[in-house]
Amino acid sequence: MDAFYASVELRRRPELKGQPVVVCGSGPRAVVTTASYEARKLAGIHSAMPAAVARRRLPDAVYLQPDFSAYREASGQVMAILRRNAETVEVVGLDEAYVDLTGIFSPKATMRRIATEIREETGLTCSIGISESRMLAKITSELGKPAGLVVLSREEALERFSAESPGLIPGVGPKSVAKLEAMGIRTLADLRAQEPSLLERSFGPRQGRWLHSRANLEDDTPIVVVHETKSQSAETTFDVDVRDRAELESHLVQLAEELCRRLRSRELEGRTIGIKVRLDDWTNVTRSHTVEGATNDPAVVVPVALDLLRAYDPQRPVRLLGVRLAGFDGGAEAADDESDVPPGGQLQLGQAA
DNA sequence: TCTGGGGTCCTCAATCCC
DNA sequence: TCTGGGGATTGAGGACCC
């Protein structure tokens, strides 16, 4: 979906159309969640940018607090349209999905029709990439933003992207790009030309092979319909770093209770209880403990979380505190339906994002 | 005026069991 | 009894994504 949260906001405030809109929190440490295309063009505002920087660059933009229940609802509308038009739809987050188009007579016409239905029924626009794999569909969908539909074969992509940074590949982030650059590898063509053994030495056998196949734009990741929840967490960044033990503990209790409430509403119970602490110098520390039986009971989770925090005993001011539960009894929520996974071989995929 | 919140997956080490 | 090779599980840390 294109600038999804901002677009949902514009849908209910049409008078803001044409103005730069930035969706972000209001605290001193908030970051930008979504910027409308106007805000992006005018001042280079993008998601994950500190909201304070955005406000400095573009004081006259419209700043809105995120309203996730509205975004969840809009997302549900869009995904329902995808599902009624296609057998195999994998939803990734609120604003992104993959559609398996294997065996569909005219993928392009099908996706064009779906995009039209989304626009007419929700007032929102999406960008679509159609290619031979999940990864290529995703990269291709970026080319059409906003509201475009692009079809690209692997052959065409190899040629078109050979001078691009390896960071173009989803899964290759800033750390990997820097490491590759230090090795003299600056483009996908450079990466493709590497001996797999060299990449395996630097990145480990698995990651090395993965990098090499991705450099050749190869990907056979299947589209899976059901995503099983593996963990759930609640965390908060304080407006001002906290040193006081009692204050930390009281925040931790609240977070644990909030997490348990959400877990109960989804009927999820986990065995591994963990805490996360981010210090003022940005170091992250996690501690966890696995209990005998699965739980979502605050009477169990809260004492374990408190014990973990006391045992760690942070020696610096704390910036962020979080609680996590994992190790759910497999199946309670989402019985994984393997039968919907398409057969291997050449996949034809569309991505609406 | 630095840098959110909710996730997934991977690696590595330690430990336990077969 | 000694030794070693797997798996599985746990725990910590880190990269990455939306």
Side-chain angles (χ1 to χ4, degrees):
Chain A
M1 302 300 296
D2 302 324
F4 183 56
Y5 301 167
S7 302
V8 173
E9 297 293 348
L10 283 171
R11 191 173 65 161
R12 57 180 171 187
R13 295 175 165 86
E15 71 275 10
L16 298 180
K17 207 153 236 163
Q19 294 191 54
V21 171
V22 179
V23 180
C24 62
S26 56
R29 287 172 166 174
V31 297
V32 173
T33 305
T34 314
S36 69
Y37 284 92
E38 285 82 359
R40 297 182 198 190
K41 231 177 297 167
L42 244 41
I45 292 170
H46 55 83
S47 57
M49 170 186 277
V53 173
R55 285 180 206 275
R56 190 161 5 108
R57 283 201 200 173
L58 206 55
D60 294 333
V62 178
Y63 289 88
L64 301 171
Q65 296 257 115
D67 174 0
F68 281 94
S69 57
Y71 311 149
R72 260 191 299 273
E73 202 210 315
S75 174
Q77 278 184 294
V78 172
M79 300 311 169
I81 295 170
L82 290 181
R83 290 196 185 98
R84 78 175 184 226
N85 277 286
E87 289 264 319
T88 308
V89 176
E90 176 175 344
V91 176
V92 182
L94 288 180
D95 73 335
E96 188 171 311
Y98 294 89
V99 178
D100 186 0
L101 299 168
T102 308
I104 299 244
F105 175 64
S106 174
K108 198 172 167 181
T110 300
M111 292 312 297
R112 206 180 282 292
R113 188 183 75 239
I114 291 177
T116 302
E117 289 180 18
I118 290 174
R119 181 165 37 77
E120 286 176 352
E121 293 177 34
T122 73
L124 301 166
T125 65
C126 58
S127 296
I128 293 166
I130 299 177
S131 190
E132 293 152 51
S133 69
R134 238 179 102 102
M135 168 190 61
L136 278 170
K138 179 170 177 61
I139 296 173
T140 303
S141 74
E142 304 288 331
L143 301 175
K145 278 178 179 285
L149 184 154
V150 179
V151 183
L152 200 68
S153 69
R154 177 174 164 272
E155 281 303 306
E156 292 166 329
L158 279 171
E159 179 151 353
R160 179 159 180 172
F161 299 132
S162 63
E164 294 282 338
S165 157
L168 183 75
I169 306 291
V172 178
K175 301 279 182 182
S176 304
V177 168
K179 189 165 168 180
L180 288 167
E181 254 170 35
M183 297 165 67
I185 300 166
R186 288 178 183 81
T187 67
L188 281 174
D190 294 342
L191 188 57
R192 210 177 302 148
Q194 297 303 311
E195 280 299 321
S197 60
L198 179 91
L199 295 171
E200 287 174 32
R201 271 198 301 281
S202 303
F203 287 88
R206 226 180 130 98
Q207 177 82 350
R209 274 195 293 275
W210 182 88
L211 270 174
H212 193 257
S213 71
R214 292 301 155 115
N216 287 286
L217 303 183
E218 292 162 352
D219 168 34
D220 58 6
T221 314
I223 305 299
V224 291
V225 177
V226 181
H227 274 200
E228 209 174 332
T229 301
K230 304 280 172 51
S231 71
Q232 198 164 342
S233 62
E235 62 185 52
T236 187
T237 295
F238 305 120
D239 286 352
V240 178
D241 298 341
V242 175
R243 309 185 99 100
D244 184 69
R245 297 280 182 281
E247 190 182 343
L248 284 175
E249 292 190 3
S250 115
H251 281 293
L252 192 62
V253 170
Q254 283 182 39
L255 286 165
E257 286 172 346
E258 155 72 11
L259 178 62
C260 287
R261 202 179 50 67
R262 278 159 42 192
L263 287 164
R264 274 199 299 268
S265 75
R266 293 180 63 185
E267 293 179 5
L268 284 172
E269 297 186 329
R271 290 182 56 225
T272 303
I273 299 161
I275 64 163
K276 171 174 165 184
V277 181
R278 173 130 75 213
L279 303 175
D280 64 338
D281 64 357
W282 210 251
T283 55
N284 295 305
V285 175
T286 59
R287 292 291 183 266
S288 66
H289 177 72
T290 300
V291 296
E292 193 59 35
T295 184
N296 55 22
D297 183 356
V300 176
V301 176
V302 166
V304 172
L306 285 173
D307 281 348
L308 289 168
L309 180 64
R310 288 172 187 151
Y312 168 54
D313 190 23
Q315 298 298 306
R316 302 183 61 96
V318 173
R319 178 187 183 91
L320 170 151
L321 191 58
V323 195
R324 193 174 90 103
L325 217 71
F328 299 134
D329 288 338
E333 182 206 28
D336 225 324
D337 191 355
E338 297 287 336
S339 66
D340 275 344
V341 177
Q346 181 102 341
L347 296 176
Q348 179 97 246
L349 308 172
Q351 195 213 16

